[in-house]
Amino acid sequence: MFNIIPQPNEIIIKSGRSGFFLTEDTTITKVPLIIDEFRDFVKKTFDIRLHREEKNENCIILTYSDGIEDDEGYRIVCEDSVIEIIAKTDCGLFYGLQTLKQMLLQSFGKIPALEINDKPMYKYRGFMIDSGRYCQSVKEIKRFVNLMAMHKLNVFHWHLTEDQGWRVEIKKYPELTKKGQKRSHTNFGFKSYEGFFTQEQIKEVVKYCHDRFIKVIPEFDIPGHTVSAIACYPYLSCFDRNLSVATHWGVKHDILCAGKESTYKFVFDVLDELMELFPDKIIHIGGDEAVKMRWKLCPNCQALMKKEGISSEDVLQNYFMSRVNRYLNEKGYTSMMWNFESEAGTELLDKNIYWNACSLERNKKLVSDELKSGRTIVNSSTFPYYFDFPHGTNSLKKVYEYNPEIDGGHILGVEASLWTEYVKTRNKADYNLFPRIAAFCETAWSQPEDKSYDRFLYSLGEYYDYLNIYHVRYATLKQANPSRLRSDVEKIVFGRRIFHWQGLHNLIDDAKVRKIAEK
Ligand code: ACM
Ligand code: ZN
């Protein structure tokens, strides 16, 4: 009857009762939550301006009730010209409205008598946008956030610091957004590139997210992916290196020095300002792709290891992450990190740090053991949840059919990521994200037993109609599930990245640093 994405838990059509018909006289009851977006949708789609009034005989009623158990759940009851959305919280009402939009669109405003009962599968339904490689405008970020809310996603993981650019204003370290926000050129262009968010803009985005029941987790990626910060403050690195903001993609060998107290001071100062800006009590501290090349040679890092009895540079990273974690814990915050660098083990790594498990394929056993021993884990596996990867690698079908559960316990949720080194424009981002986000959100929201790839494919036509209203430049089904040939070509095109990365540069730099260290 209705093709709603994500598929609700239960839809019961009630025969023998009259339904609802959207007309010029339809009203919607007054509630504190933001329903402008819903009213704009109705205006855009039906050219009807919903009036906000008390109940009348043809209306949409929003009702609070403790009878709905899940904080994010809702019930929709439609009969006798009235649609009632019932929820315990504003969030539940908001999700009910997202469902109602799709129904109105599909039925030209005429909804039969029915009842829908719905609640999410996972508490954490995340999406990450990389603003480090390219810095989207506030308007673009808000557009993505709104689209994510339509898919009932509720965590915005905002990747704000990168080798290629520092994107968040930190008042105590002004160079970060003077020098650190600008790279002299980019992978495929010879033009310079810059951009950052002021603290006022960050607050505006956070409020926009909160109005849509989305929590915001900022990422301050340390100790790796910090070349833009080191370019501003060379003392942050081992050997006080003079570097430029990175121009090319790839893993850099210069990272924050874990052996100097001045590094911790910088990190804690930045975190102090981030905690002021991001009140949702979780901060992502990166931890990915931190090459230990410099730490092995650095007298400061080595001295700290000796003093603390730390057996290897990998364990030194665990010490570093845990020390930062404890700083956050003292202020009532939880830390989150990528699980990337923990393959060498978790000695000294605090158990209360959440893991964004992106490298699951490589170390399923470790992640599973960690889950068993009590670590909180979000499945953000590169395959299939990195949506910067081509459809040929992470096809719509793969995304849909992927089971995110991990042996050993329950995961907190799932997260999809959009890395942007090769996704500079909004249209490219749209093409990468949609309809994969639709497949992803069914895993995040719908009950596993209600999932059906055939039903999902059948829903896509109407889903595309829905996206058209928001001017989304989605991939077609053929593009999202490419043929073998098309998929091979895509992989080759995507693979050209390796000609643009840091490899050679790293070799030269390594030689330089070895010379300094030998002196
Ligand atoms: C990552 O893919 N570097 C987290
Ligand atoms: Zn060092």
Side-chain angles (χ1 to χ4, degrees):
M1 165 82 214
F2 288 105
N3 298 308
I4 297 158
I5 289 177
Q7 170 75 6
N9 295 187
E10 187 178 51
I11 304 180
I12 308 158
I13 304 287
K14 296 180 182 170
S15 51
R17 302 290 297 258
S18 65
F20 167 91
F21 192 31
L22 185 73
T23 70
E24 298 280 350
D25 300 324
T26 303
T27 61
I28 184 161
T29 53
K30 285 186 182 138
V31 279
L33 82 147
I34 305 285
I35 57 163
D36 297 358
E37 205 276 322
F38 177 77
R39 292 170 74 221
D40 288 347
F41 172 86
V42 171
K43 177 83 179 81
K44 250 191 290 197
T45 315
F46 301 99
D47 199 22
I48 286 175
R49 184 41 81 191
L50 287 177
H51 296 287
R52 304 189 65 167
E53 279 166 25
E54 295 314 315
K55 303 173 190 182
N56 70 14
E57 56 282 358
N58 173 260
C59 67
I60 299 167
I61 304 174
L62 306 174
T63 308
Y64 297 101
S65 165
D66 282 336
I68 305 293
E69 270 173 33
D70 195 294
D71 280 345
E72 298 180 299
Y74 65 90
R75 171 177 302 144
I76 297 178
V77 178
C78 171
E79 54 190 31
D80 305 332
S81 306
V82 171
I83 288 185
E84 185 171 19
I85 302 180
I86 307 156
K88 186 152 87 181
T89 66
D90 288 340
C91 176
L93 295 178
F94 177 81
Y95 286 147
L97 287 172
Q98 302 313 313
T99 298
L100 181 57
K101 281 196 298 190
Q102 295 180 66
M103 292 200 288
L104 290 171
L105 180 66
Q106 290 172 26
S107 63
F108 307 99
K110 188 166 173 38
I111 296 179
L114 56 69
E115 180 176 326
I116 293 180
N117 292 296
D118 204 10
K119 65 176 176 13
M121 173 67 193
Y122 292 110
K123 281 261 163 270
Y124 184 115
R125 306 180 298 280
F127 60 98
M128 187 217 77
I129 294 177
D130 168 12
S131 292
R133 272 50 176 260
Y134 284 108
C135 183
Q136 306 77 12
S137 65
V138 169
K139 194 170 158 207
E140 278 168 341
I141 293 285
K142 284 181 175 174
R143 176 178 173 272
F144 285 124
V145 165
N146 195 49
L147 287 164
M148 297 305 153
M150 277 162 51
H151 292 76
K152 302 189 174 85
L153 302 181
N154 67 349
V155 178
F156 174 34
H157 168 181
W158 199 359
H159 188 78
L160 281 168
T161 67
E162 253 309 334
D163 296 312
Q164 293 82 3
W166 184 280
R167 306 297 179 210
V168 47
E169 178 188 23
I170 301 295
K171 307 247 193 226
K172 203 161 186 178
Y173 296 90
E175 283 301 308
L176 293 170
T177 44
K178 281 192 191 137
K179 187 172 180 189
Q181 58 132 337
K182 181 167 180 170
R183 51 168 153 168
S184 63
H185 60 282
T186 61
N187 277 310
F188 298 106
F190 295 98
K191 282 193 229 138
S192 67
Y193 183 83
E194 63 191 299
F196 73 97
F197 300 98
T198 63
Q199 294 203 348
E200 283 311 305
Q201 288 173 323
I202 297 262
K203 285 181 199 157
E204 187 186 329
V205 169
V206 169
K207 171 157 190 340
Y208 188 88
C209 290
H210 288 172
D211 284 344
R212 285 153 187 78
F213 308 95
I214 290 177
K215 286 192 167 65
V216 191
I217 301 180
E219 182 177 351
F220 171 30
D221 198 350
I222 47 175
H225 291 282
T226 43
V227 170
S228 65
I230 294 169
C232 304
Y233 302 100
Y235 73 84
L236 294 173
S237 65
C238 301
F239 306 102
D240 295 13
R241 303 208 65 216
N242 279 307
L243 304 173
S244 305
V245 175
T247 51
H248 288 64
W249 170 82
V251 176
K252 316 299 174 203
H253 290 183
D254 288 288
I255 67 175
L256 298 186
C257 176
K260 289 189 265 193
E261 277 309 298
S262 51
T263 302
Y264 296 92
K265 168 140 187 14
F266 169 80
V267 168
F268 298 160
D269 285 344
V270 170
L271 288 174
D272 284 345
E273 293 196 31
L274 290 179
M275 284 186 276
E276 284 291 315
L277 294 171
F278 296 96
D280 291 323
K281 303 285 180 216
I282 303 183
I283 290 188
H284 201 297
I285 51 175
D288 59 320
E289 299 178 319
V291 175
K292 311 302 184 312
M293 209 74 92
R294 303 288 181 262
W295 289 6
K296 284 190 164 84
L297 300 172
C298 171
N300 295 306
C301 288
Q302 292 302 316
L304 179 67
M305 284 170 63
K306 198 156 166 216
K307 177 168 161 245
E308 298 287 335
I310 294 169
S311 57
S312 72
E313 288 74 19
D314 288 318
V315 178
L316 177 60
Q317 180 172 354
N318 292 346
Y319 165 94
F320 177 91
M321 303 312 289
S322 296
R323 198 169 151 190
V324 175
N325 173 52
R326 281 171 213 172
Y327 185 79
L328 287 168
N329 293 167
E330 277 169 22
K331 321 258 165 172
Y333 274 69
T334 295
S335 338
M336 189 156 185
M337 65 181 276
W338 301 102
N339 72 320
F340 239 88
E341 290 303 313
S342 304
E343 287 160 7
T346 53
E347 188 184 340
L348 296 189
L349 188 69
D350 287 351
K351 195 59 89 182
N352 67 350
I353 303 177
Y354 288 12
W355 267 11
N356 229 186
C358 54
S359 65
L360 251 180
E361 298 227 326
R362 237 164 47 206
N363 43 42
K364 215 160 195 158
K365 172 149 183 358
L366 173 71
V367 176
S368 160
D369 287 348
E370 284 297 299
L371 187 63
K372 253 181 236 159
S373 65
R375 189 178 300 284
T376 299
I377 289 180
V378 171
N379 186 335
S380 52
S381 185
T382 305
F383 308 103
Y385 288 158
Y386 273 20
F387 292 168
D388 52 313
F389 276 62
H391 297 282
T393 308
N394 292 335
S395 70
L396 184 67
K397 186 168 195 287
K398 270 195 199 155
V399 175
Y400 195 88
E401 292 184 339
Y402 179 72
N403 174 5
E405 281 299 321
I406 296 166
D407 282 347
H410 286 295
I411 56 171
L412 182 65
V414 289
E415 182 170 300
S417 301
L418 185 72
W419 299 97
T420 58
E421 184 61 55
Y422 299 91
V423 185
K424 187 178 174 185
T425 62
R426 193 188 100 177
N427 281 349
K428 180 83 195 296
D430 277 8
Y431 176 79
N432 274 286
L433 288 172
F434 303 93
R436 285 194 283 205
I437 281 288
F440 168 76
C441 83
E442 288 228 341
T443 301
W445 180 276
S446 308
Q447 302 302 310
E449 61 273 19
D450 294 333
K451 283 180 66 185
S452 149
Y453 185 59
D454 288 338
R455 192 257 314 138
F456 175 76
L457 282 184
Y458 185 77
S459 305
L460 271 186
E462 269 156 338
Y463 173 69
Y464 283 150
D465 287 343
Y466 188 36
L467 293 185
N468 285 336
I469 292 177
Y470 294 89
H471 308 287
V472 174
R473 295 282 293 267
Y474 48 79
T476 64
L477 190 53
K478 261 212 168 103
Q479 290 165 331
N481 280 330
S483 66
R484 182 69 195 275
L485 176 66
R486 193 184 165 103
S487 138
D488 287 346
V489 171
E490 274 183 1
K491 283 180 201 166
I492 291 166
V493 173
F494 188 69
R496 83 200 188 292
R497 307 197 300 175
I498 60 169
F499 298 113
H500 289 270
W501 86 318
Q502 195 72 13
L504 186 62
H505 204 267
N506 279 340
L507 289 178
I508 297 167
D509 255 5
D510 288 351
K512 277 192 206 159
V513 173
R514 259 197 311 275
K515 261 210 175 125
I516 301 169
E518 277 163 13
K519 273 191 200 152

